[in-house]
Amino acid sequence: MLAFIFAPFYIFVNLYLARWVLRWTGACHRVFGTKTFRVLFGAVYAFLAVTPLSSFVIKSPVWLHRLLKQMNNFWLGCLLYLILAVLVTELILFIARKWRKKDFEGVQRVRQVQGGIALALVCALTFYGVAHAERLYVTEYDIAIDKAGADMTVALLADLHMGYSTNPAYIEEVAAAVNEMRPDLIVYAGDIFDNEYEAVPEPERIGAALASMQSRYGAYACWGNHDLREPILAGFTWDTKDSEKNDPRMEKFLEDAGITLLNDESVTLANGVTIAGRKDPSRTKKVGQSRLTPEELLAGADKEKPVFVIDHQPKELAELAASGADLDLSGHTHDGQMFPGNLTIKLMGENAC
């Protein structure tokens, strides 16, 4: 439903941006002002702009569906930065007009510079984003828990979102980095999949990479809000019957990879540490289930020893602490996903880290 509500806005924004780019290119060289160029540009722009819909509608052949999905993922990122770049350059031009008390609208050189700045911003942010996404970062946290027990190294992986944009080689790199840590425990804090099991490229190869991770006490996971079968249109989920949302292949995949799924369940490790995995609130609602409260989930835990909770969304932190949890391992926020989201995400959660 939200996709339909935002559709007119999406169309208007793209028409404005296409016209804006054509005005800039036309100011750069007369060739770009010809009808032939305008038609070619319009066709390419329209093709990219419609990928959210075409990738949703076209399911076969499989290679075309996957290609459209990948193009859609890149397009939405580029579109965001194109919008931001145009807003920034228009703001600069507005300030210049007020400062110089002169109308620059018809000055060709100004239009060339304005478009050049916008293009440079879009390219810089896009290329950085692609490179940033392909690079593996390992962040270390030192956490002190005032309870008896030996030190532990926990490898936390969250929001792998294995799907159309996943590179199996990247997952293999992740596995190598985890093994290099020699962890005592491996934790997957949800959103392992990206709504469609079919979207996982080379699942056997990726499964083997995950299975290759070694730890003293094993690997445990909880579900996230994307770990279910649910079509996505332009970033918005398309509702289906509750009975169709649970995809048994996802759970089988984890089982084959040696990962234990904790669905509102807890286990006690050999060192006495309790690890509990919560159901995701969004996923639970979509599949027509309910989940335990923090108090119910941790009722049987030995509070004299450390208690870890895996909960995809970092919510109910105070309630978890009051129920005896020492450490909540989460994901979900993506640190805002893309700039400028990283500047605002801290306003939306108790602990967005």
Side-chain angles (χ1 to χ4, degrees), residues 6-36:
F6 282 103
F9 175 75
Y10 180 78
I11 293 171
F12 170 79
V13 167
N14 277 287
L15 288 174
Y16 175 82
L17 291 175
R19 178 176 177 272
W20 194 97
V21 173
L22 284 172
R23 287 178 64 194
W24 167 60
T25 54
C28 291
H29 196 282
R30 61 185 180 184
V31 172
F32 299 132
T34 63
K35 182 178 180 181
T36 301

Side-chain angles (χ1 to χ4, degrees), residues 148-164:
D151 287 349
M152 291 181 66
T153 297
V154 179
L156 170 64
L157 299 94
D159 301 279
L160 291 176
H161 283 274
M162 296 190 300
Y164 293 105

Side-chain angles (χ1 to χ4, degrees), residues 5-281:
I5 294 174
F6 282 103
F9 175 75
Y10 180 78
I11 293 171
F12 170 79
V13 167
N14 277 287
L15 288 174
Y16 175 82
L17 291 175
R19 178 176 177 272
W20 194 97
V21 173
L22 284 172
R23 287 178 64 194
W24 167 60
T25 54
C28 291
H29 196 282
R30 61 185 180 184
V31 172
F32 299 132
T34 63
K35 182 178 180 181
T36 301
F37 174 80
R38 287 173 174 269
V39 170
L40 288 174
F41 172 82
V44 172
Y45 191 98
F47 173 78
L48 293 172
V50 83
T51 53
L53 179 61
S54 61
S55 63
F56 180 79
V57 174
I58 299 174
K59 300 295 184 181
S60 62
V62 175
W63 67 267
L64 179 59
H65 175 66
R66 178 172 291 275
L67 177 62
L68 289 172
K69 280 286 188 179
Q70 292 171 339
M71 294 179 69
N72 170 54
N73 290 342
F74 279 104
W75 164 250
L76 292 177
C78 292
L79 178 64
L80 169 64
Y81 292 135
L82 181 57
I83 292 172
L84 291 176
V86 169
L87 289 176
V88 168
T89 53
E90 287 291 345
L91 178 61
I92 293 173
L93 186 58
F94 174 79
I95 294 173
R97 284 178 187 147
K98 295 296 182 182
W99 180 49
R100 298 289 296 273
K101 299 185 183 304
K102 182 179 179 181
D103 186 8
F104 292 104
E105 190 66 31
V107 181
Q108 185 178 30
R109 182 60 178 167
V110 171
R111 179 61 64 184
Q112 291 173 348
V113 172
Q114 184 189 22
I117 293 173
L119 179 62
L121 284 172
V122 173
C123 290
L125 288 169
T126 299
F127 286 130
Y128 171 77
V130 172
H132 180 69
E134 289 295 324
R135 181 180 174 187
L136 178 63
Y137 295 84
V138 178
T139 305
E140 295 185 0
Y141 300 91
D142 291 322
I143 300 169
I145 297 176
D146 189 20
K147 290 183 178 179
D151 287 349
M152 291 181 66
T153 297
V154 179
L156 170 64
L157 299 94
D159 301 279
L160 291 176
H161 283 274
M162 296 190 300
Y164 293 105
S165 296
T166 300
N167 183 351
Y170 179 81
I171 303 299
E172 291 171 340
E173 186 181 357
V174 169
V178 169
N179 285 330
E180 189 175 335
M181 294 169 58
R182 299 177 181 266
D184 297 293
L185 177 69
I186 300 173
V187 168
Y188 296 82
D191 278 1
I192 301 163
F193 300 95
D194 201 26
N195 292 86
E196 298 176 65
Y197 181 81
E198 294 86 352
V200 180
E202 302 182 58
E204 292 183 0
R205 178 182 172 185
I206 289 179
L210 298 182
S212 71
M213 297 186 200
Q214 302 296 315
S215 65
R216 180 177 298 181
Y217 300 117
Y220 296 88
C222 73
W223 284 141
N225 55 301
H226 285 277
D227 292 316
L228 74 172
R229 183 195 289 124
E230 197 171 37
I232 295 181
L233 174 59
F236 298 100
T237 55
W238 192 270
D239 199 23
T240 55
K241 295 180 181 178
D242 291 349
S243 59
E244 298 176 353
K245 290 176 181 176
N246 269 316
D247 193 332
R249 292 174 298 178
M250 293 182 179
E251 193 163 344
K252 182 65 165 56
F253 180 92
L254 296 189
E255 182 182 332
D256 291 343
I259 302 169
T260 301
L261 177 66
L262 296 177
N263 233 350
D264 267 2
E265 301 166 293
S266 62
V267 297
T268 302
L269 306 180
N271 63 352
V273 172
T274 294
I275 179 166
R278 297 196 75 188
K279 291 181 178 179
D280 179 76

